[in-house]
Amino acid sequence: MTPAAAEPETHLTIALEHGLSAEEWERILKTLGRKPTMTELGIFSAMWNEHCSYKSSRVHLKKFPTEGPRVLQGPGENAGVVDIGGGLAVAFKMESHNHPSFIEPYQGAATGVGGILRDIFTMGARPIALLDSLRFGARDHERTPYLVNGVVSGIAGYGNCMGVPTVGGETYFHPCYNGNILVNVMCVGIMKADNIFLGEAAGVGNPVIHVGAPTGRDGIHGASMASAGFDESASEKRPTVQVGDPFREKLLLEACLELMDRGAVVGIQDMGAAGLTSSGVEMAGRAGTGLVLRLDDAPAREEGMTPYEFMLSESQERMLLVAERGHEAEVREIFERWDLPMAVVGEVTDDGRLRVEAGGRSYAYLPIGLLTDEAPVYEREMKSERELPATDPLETLRDEIDLGASLLTLMAHPNLGRKTPIWRQYDYMVRTNTLAPPGGDAALLRVKGTDKSLAITTDGNARYCMLDPHAGGMLAVAEAARNLSCTGATPLAMTNCLNFGNPERPAVMAQFSAAIEGMSEACRALGVPVVSGNVSFYNETHGVDIYPTPIVGMVGLLEDSENHTGSGFRREGDVVALLYPAGEAPMPEGGAHEYVWTLSGREGGSPPAISFEAEAAVQGLCRSAIASGLLNSAHDLSEGGLGVALAESALASPEGALGADIRIPGEAGRIDALFFGEPASRILVSAPPGSFEHLREMAESLEVGCLEIGRTTEGGLRVEAPGGDPVMELDMDHLMSAWNGALGEIL
């Protein structure tokens, strides 16, 4: 590289332009006893921004339970790792790429996939699956089709080229995301339990090596961009979005895993947000060491790059690794064989400082601790504000509801309709581990060489969190665990992606704190530790925040792959039953949130109440019944309640659409409230007639309610009121047509 002979002098105005506050600028001056160089200022802006420092969230994230009998690596590393027995472990994490995907949807989503893949194989794991959680604006918003098509194509383009299947996820539409979409991606990998690699720059004198793609000017200030809201100038930030190359990443993956097998790697880290700066600083910080980086020999894609540009570039498909001294030739041989650049760019030191040198000059000399543990931490003001009315908007709908027409409307809405136009772009069967296609409660992946399977899901409900962040946080964790239990898998651990608005607003911080408290409470009650995660703040446009949207990614274990079930009805004549908390009404009236929103555009009321003791009991019954071979299907009740769950189970039948004759459980009252209500801790199951009595006995022994509500049939979906009066009859072809056409105007 050719460094600039001199850098501009820094001052407060430049610091503010870099996203630092006046108070932070003064702290830098006081701590250093001098003005920082331009490169140093860039380093501070990267390491002290919200995206890298977690300065507004750190005090709250400590509330999460992070330990458990299967946890091998918790938060703080590139990914969490959980033991699954037999000498194997699963590494997983979820990350956001919200701002880049709104600015440039294809590359933003694609590089989000690339980044989370690197987080996983950096741990020494081979990625086996991707999932996503996507939030777009209203379906009739002018930018929605453009954004949806770009994001989905970007996820597909990168994942398919890498040969990693995208096996599940969720996609929702709401006006609160019109100006700020959410693109969260989760990756799961399999590894040896005793061979975990950490992002540590350990061993004084060990070489620091830049491997992978050469560094260019793309993505400079990407992390800072992710720590700010949007305005009319958002399109001008396009140069901050990275450009991905999945074919190069495939080479990088194989080269890194091969090198790890050789035993020469001391530490390794993805050059993600803030690039070389964050990877170098974080690796040294974890090890309690220092680093000297000499940039003259670093691979550069463009001429004349300055140290400032080099340190802040977020060019993709790059890793920083520390190798055992004397193994440089071995590293070079492997990477040259995989046609990837490799260069020794420095070494580990014992002085606890980051030194950046180029052209015989020093461009940065900073204490590592000042950039990591001593970075600003804020306990921001919190003030709860409720934006939606406390009254249940169901009361605003007329009583004379046509259940059939309402169900068709729900199933034709893109929030609840079939996501086939999205899934068909993903190669979800590559590597031949996928036991079930996308669309069920959770993805199922075979662990080759064993009888085990992994169940994986992503879940979140922003409406619940807007109504009550604490309850919304609890319900997100509970639903994720319930989805895993519906496959027969035992929940092991979770990751998260916490998408919120501007943390400088007291209302947003109140939402954030309450949501974490609710999630933490649920995690402890259900025995699901948090092993990794991500915080995405400043999801706002023109000062308007998105709804609080914490997304849960959860992994469960099925010891015997043969003992699993799906959400679709399987056989005519099966008993259809509802599992629910004992002592509660099978279907309490009220809380039909998605139904009311879809029909009227109104929101309000309260999220469903939840008892964790009851939730655990219902999930435990479901898993035990599946393991005993008693169930042919299991599907949790969520958005749209019993009505939507019935329709989805009928339409998802592997034998083709299979109908049912159903009597709505409950007392006299509003039928639509019973049919579309969204109570927690409910699972819709089907069982052979000869097994149902055993199921009922098992439920009684576990103190769980189990009520027969109908039978599967070859005909349509026929529903009776609690008193026996017919209230709905739908032809399955019409229902299937509505379900399949939900995304027709968008994709």
Side-chain angles (χ1 to χ4, degrees):
M1 62 172 289
T2 306
E7 295 187 311
E9 183 178 352
T10 60
H11 48 77
L12 175 59
T13 301
I14 296 178
L16 296 174
E17 291 171 351
H18 278 68
L20 296 166
S21 68
E23 292 76 15
E24 289 167 347
W25 169 251
E26 289 298 324
R27 180 179 171 185
I28 292 170
L29 296 180
K30 182 178 180 180
T31 305
L32 296 182
R34 58 176 174 83
K35 287 185 178 181
T37 68
M38 193 65 183
T39 296
E40 289 175 332
L41 183 63
I43 291 170
F44 275 113
S45 76
M47 296 307 300
W48 283 15
N49 66 45
E50 199 72 60
H51 192 77
C52 293
S53 74
Y54 288 59
K55 58 188 178 185
S56 298
S57 59
R58 204 181 300 181
V59 295
H60 301 280
L61 297 175
K62 294 178 181 179
K63 301 171 186 175
F64 282 131
T66 59
E67 298 180 350
R70 291 182 178 267
V71 176
L72 301 177
Q73 178 62 56
E77 273 291 340
N78 292 293
V81 182
V82 177
D83 194 340
I84 60 171
L88 297 175
V90 56
F92 61 100
K93 188 183 182 182
M94 183 185 295
E95 284 270 9
S96 64
H97 233 219
N98 303 335
H99 285 43
S101 299
F102 182 77
I103 295 168
E104 211 303 300
Y106 184 94
Q107 290 295 348
T111 52
V113 172
I116 197 65
L117 284 165
R118 291 193 297 278
D119 282 339
I120 298 305
F121 70 75
T122 296
M123 303 299 297
R126 179 172 291 278
I128 63 167
L130 292 159
L131 296 90
D132 54 44
S133 180
L134 311 176
R135 300 292 188 279
F136 298 101
R139 60 178 171 178
D140 57 355
H141 189 270
E142 60 181 3
R143 282 179 57 85
T144 295
Y146 163 73
L147 292 167
V148 173
N149 280 272
V151 166
V152 172
S153 297
I155 293 171
Y158 209 103
N160 293 352
C161 291
M162 285 290 296
V164 180
T166 301
V167 296
E170 53 172 14
T171 304
Y172 287 93
F173 300 81
H174 193 282
C176 78
Y177 307 108
N178 281 346
N180 198 125
I181 65 173
L182 303 183
V183 178
N184 296 178
V185 183
M186 178 180 177
C187 186
V188 178
I190 293 290
M191 64 191 298
K192 295 178 181 177
D194 60 356
N195 200 31
I196 300 174
F197 288 85
L198 304 178
E200 295 183 346
V204 175
N206 280 334
V208 178
I209 304 174
H210 179 302
V211 299
T215 297
R217 290 187 171 94
D218 55 316
I220 293 176
H221 293 304
S224 299
M225 176 269 293
S227 300
F230 284 144
D231 53 28
E232 61 276 351
S233 66
S235 61
E236 299 174 5
K237 299 178 180 179
R238 187 164 293 178
T240 65
V241 179
Q242 310 94 328
V243 178
D245 182 351
F247 299 106
R248 191 187 294 268
E249 176 128 331
K250 174 63 174 174
L251 300 178
L252 183 62
L253 181 155
E254 299 299 342
C256 287
L257 291 181
E258 181 179 344
L259 183 63
M260 291 170 173
D261 285 340
R262 298 279 189 93
V265 176
V266 175
I268 184 168
Q269 177 116 340
D270 161 41
M271 291 196 214
L276 185 56
T277 289
S278 66
S279 57
V281 169
E282 290 173 1
M283 291 178 74
R286 295 187 187 110
T289 59
L291 284 184
V292 57
L293 297 177
R294 303 182 184 97
L295 303 181
D296 290 329
D297 298 324
R301 197 172 67 239
E302 302 180 49
E303 295 289 331
M305 288 189 64
T306 66
Y308 175 94
E309 292 171 329
F310 216 106
M311 293 300 294
L312 296 185
S313 168
E314 296 182 12
S315 295
Q316 296 290 284
E317 294 85 41
R318 302 178 300 156
M319 310 288 279
L320 193 69
L321 67 89
V322 174
E324 291 280 359
R325 186 166 45 185
H327 287 265
E328 294 90 338
E330 185 177 4
V331 177
R332 187 177 304 280
E333 182 272 325
I334 290 174
F335 278 87
E336 285 183 350
R337 182 156 38 82
W338 286 100
D339 196 27
L340 292 168
M342 169 272 185
V344 176
V345 296
E347 63 202 37
V348 181
T349 65
D350 63 357
D351 62 1
R353 288 186 170 262
L354 172 68
R355 287 183 281 164
V356 179
E357 300 174 354
R361 297 184 56 178
S362 175
Y363 284 82
Y365 185 63
L366 297 172
I368 294 287
L370 183 59
L371 300 170
T372 54
D373 294 340
E374 299 166 30
V377 176
Y378 298 125
E379 295 193 40
R380 298 199 184 270
E381 181 185 355
M382 295 186 291
K383 183 180 179 181
S384 296
E385 295 179 10
R386 186 181 174 101
E387 296 186 15
L388 298 176
T391 56
D392 189 344
L394 180 67
E395 299 172 4
T396 64
L397 292 181
R398 56 189 176 87
D399 291 339
E400 298 80 20
I401 296 294
D402 184 333
L403 290 188
S406 297
L407 183 57
L408 286 171
T409 300
L410 280 165
M411 301 305 291
H413 193 281
N415 282 354
L416 299 175
R418 199 173 199 179
K419 305 303 192 294
T420 302
I422 295 175
W423 302 331
R424 68 187 177 197
Q425 297 189 46
Y426 303 152
D427 189 350
Y428 53 79
M429 294 301 295
V430 66
R431 305 190 66 84
T432 67
N433 295 321
T434 309
L435 290 175
D441 289 305
L444 277 171
L445 288 126
R446 182 187 296 107
V447 182
K448 285 185 176 175
T450 75
D451 294 328
K452 306 175 188 288
S453 290
L454 297 176
I456 319 165
T457 189
T458 56
D459 287 286
N461 190 309
R463 182 180 295 114
Y464 290 171
C465 287
M466 175 55 73
L467 295 172
D468 184 333
H470 184 271
M474 292 193 298
L475 290 164
V477 174
E479 182 177 354
R482 198 181 317 129
N483 282 336
L484 300 185
S485 293
C486 284
T487 69
T490 300
L492 297 182
M494 61 169 270
T495 183
N496 57 58
C497 203
L498 307 176
N499 307 276
F500 287 77
N502 189 336
E504 298 167 44
R505 296 195 182 96
V508 171
M509 284 310 301
Q511 293 170 341
F512 185 78
S513 177
I516 287 179
E517 289 175 356
M519 296 171 74
S520 300
E521 186 177 337
C523 287
R524 291 188 175 89
L526 299 176
V528 184
V530 178
V531 298
S532 60
N534 170 246
V535 177
S536 176
F537 277 136
Y538 294 98
N539 290 290
E540 58 164 346
T541 299
H542 296 298
V544 179
D545 299 302
I546 64 165
Y547 282 6
T549 313
I551 302 298
V552 171
M554 196 173 291
V555 174
L557 180 64
L558 199 64
E559 291 287 355
D560 186 352
S561 296
E562 297 297 320
N563 289 333
H564 74 270
T565 191
S567 60
F569 295 147
R570 298 191 66 87
R571 295 195 317 191
E572 180 189 2
D574 277 355
V575 175
V576 179
L578 189 67
L579 309 182
Y580 63 97
E584 296 184 16
M587 285 298 298
E589 186 176 345
H593 297 282
E594 193 69 30
Y595 164 69
V596 176
W597 165 253
T598 303
L599 267 65
S600 71
R602 297 186 180 94
E603 296 175 292
S606 300
I610 185 169
S611 160
F612 289 118
E613 183 179 1
E615 180 72 44
V618 170
Q619 291 190 33
L621 169 62
C622 186
R623 293 194 300 268
S624 296
I626 292 171
S628 300
L630 301 181
L631 301 183
N632 281 335
S633 72
H635 186 27
D636 82 309
L637 270 61
S638 55
E639 293 93 342
L642 177 62
V644 170
L646 281 168
E648 290 174 338
S649 290
L651 295 169
S653 171
E655 308 301 321
L658 193 63
D661 290 342
I662 300 295
R663 177 172 291 186
I664 300 173
E667 304 296 329
R670 289 195 59 151
I671 303 299
D672 57 340
L674 296 173
F675 198 53
F676 298 115
E678 300 172 7
S681 313
R682 268 73 174 172
I683 298 176
L684 183 73
V685 301
S686 65
S691 302
F692 181 69
E693 192 57 39
H694 189 182
L695 175 65
R696 198 198 307 264
E697 291 172 356
M698 185 181 290
E700 187 175 348
S701 68
L702 296 174
E703 298 183 352
V704 174
C706 178
L707 178 67
E708 179 179 350
I709 62 171
R711 298 286 179 115
T712 58
T713 68
E714 284 191 346
L717 191 58
R718 292 178 290 272
V719 177
E720 297 177 350
D725 295 330
V727 291
M728 191 187 85
E729 183 168 355
L730 277 181
D731 179 86
M732 296 305 297
D733 289 340
H734 289 155
L735 194 57
M736 180 70 79
S737 178
W739 195 42
N740 284 337
L743 292 178
E745 297 181 0
I746 300 172
L747 273 172

